Every structure is written in structure tokens, then in C-alpha cells.
Amino acid sequence: MKQDLCPSCQEELTFKVSGSVRGEQYLCHACQRIYTRVAKCPDCQQTAEKIQACGSVSYFCSHCNELKSKTRIQFEYNDAL
Ligand SMILES: [Zn+2]
Ligand SMILES: [Zn+2]
């Protein structure tokens, strides 16, 4: 399973908050920065929406209009502030 790494120092990020409108937030202790993790569709590079059902997570791309496996989803880390 892929780790969540800081885009600037490559340290492992700490999960901070989920369920916010802007996505999931991760904290880098080394940089003292907060990042928002954005899921990207592997096929069209548009933002995919996280769908949580029965304990499993998948992602829906409204551009492709289909579900994407979380193993194929690409993550991008943006500065939250
Ligand atoms: Zn960092
Ligand atoms: Zn797509």
C-alpha cells in the first residue's frame, strides 16, 4: 500500500481530518505544513470523488461517469492554506 508522503520533504504525512468539503487533510510534522489530498482520475486527470460504502473505499469520476478502483487513483497534495 502506498504511503502518503510530503511533496516537499518526502517524510510520511500524518492523517489529520477527513470529510471536509475540500478533501482530506494531512500534516507534515517536519515542515509544519498541512496538505489537502486530492484524488485524481488515472484516465482523465480530473478530480475524483471519494465514495465510502460497506467499509471499502472507491472513487467516482464524474467526467468518465464511472467508478475507479482506489488502487489506480492518483493522489495529489496541495497546500491547504
Ligand atoms: Zn514535509
Ligand atoms: Zn475520469
Side-chain angles (χ1 to χ4, degrees), residues 6-11 13 28-33 35:
C6 175
S8 50
C9 72
Q10 308 304 312
E11 288 289 322
L13 295 172
C28 176
H29 286 290
C31 302
Q32 289 292 300
R33 284 164 86 172
Y35 296 96

Side-chain angles (χ1 to χ4, degrees), residues 1-35:
M1 189 158 164
K2 198 162 56 171
Q3 302 270 9
D4 297 301
L5 299 178
C6 175
S8 50
C9 72
Q10 308 304 312
E11 288 289 322
E12 197 177 329
L13 295 172
T14 304
F15 183 69
K16 194 162 180 289
V17 66
S18 71
S20 70
V21 188
R22 302 194 56 111
E24 298 172 312
Q25 293 193 333
Y26 286 80
L27 170 74
C28 176
H29 286 290
C31 302
Q32 289 292 300
R33 284 164 86 172
I34 295 166
Y35 296 96

Side-chain angles (χ1 to χ4, degrees), residues 41-46 61-65 68:
C41 173
D43 300 316
C44 69
Q45 312 301 314
Q46 299 292 311
C61 175
S62 53
H63 188 260
C64 302
N65 200 30
K68 305 289 175 181

